[in-house]
């Protein structure tokens, strides 16, 4: 039983260190892209007007999707690649897995 508990704790520790790329649909219809370790907390900051300057001017409507990344470096590269896409192409990423997006954007 303790082995199962220690495995669960190890999984939680790994998840806490994981970086994510997330997409937010703004009220204006624009799609905002960002990275964070805790997307729930970061999204709440955006909603409260304490997030990025862009989302203070273009308040969030809803979180579209988040993609788990292997590390911060990959999250930054994926974020940069997504930011180069049009809003229509960003929306096409919704429903895809992080692995699929990684292959599409990073090769």
């Amino acid at each position: 039983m303790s082995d199962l508990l220690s495995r669960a704790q190890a999984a939680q520790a790994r998840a806490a260190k994981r970086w994510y790329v997330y997409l937010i649909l703004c009220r204006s219809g624009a799609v905002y892209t960002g990275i964070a370790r805790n997307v729930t907390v970061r999204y709440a900051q955006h909603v409260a007007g304490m997030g990025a300057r862009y989302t203070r001017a273009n308040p969030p409507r809803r979180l579209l999707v988040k993609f788990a990344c292997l590390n911060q470096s990959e999250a930054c590269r994926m974020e940069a690649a997504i930011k180069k896409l049009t809003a229509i192409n960003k929306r096409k990423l919704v429903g895809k897995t992080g692995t699929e997006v990684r292959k599409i954007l990073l090769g």
Side-chain angles (χ1 to χ4, degrees):
M1 184 69 165
S2 65
D3 185 46
L4 184 61
L5 182 59
S6 62
R7 284 184 187 179
Q9 289 171 336
Q12 286 177 336
R14 282 192 306 276
K17 294 179 183 177
R18 187 170 288 150
W19 282 87
Y20 295 88
V21 176
Y22 60 92
L23 303 179
I24 294 174
L25 178 63
C26 297
R27 288 185 199 159
S28 64
V31 178
Y32 174 82
T33 306
I35 67 169
R37 283 199 167 171
N38 187 329
V39 176
T40 304
V41 169
R42 187 64 177 145
Y43 180 73
Q45 290 172 339
H46 287 299
V47 170
M50 303 292 288
R53 183 180 305 159
Y54 185 86
T55 56
R56 285 194 296 264
N58 301 280
R61 185 182 301 163
R62 67 185 177 99
L63 180 66
L64 291 174
V65 67
K66 67 179 181 179
F67 306 111
C69 297
L70 301 174
N71 51 46
Q72 183 180 8
S73 175
E74 182 185 72
C76 288
R77 287 184 289 126
M78 192 180 292
E79 176 191 29
I82 291 171
K83 284 184 173 185
K84 291 178 184 176
L85 300 175
T86 63
I88 292 170
N89 287 332
K90 288 177 187 178
R91 285 186 183 95
K92 289 179 182 177
L93 299 176
V94 176
K96 297 198 181 305
T97 66
T99 302
E100 291 171 325
V101 172
R102 195 174 297 113
K103 286 179 183 176
I104 291 167
L105 298 174
L106 306 178

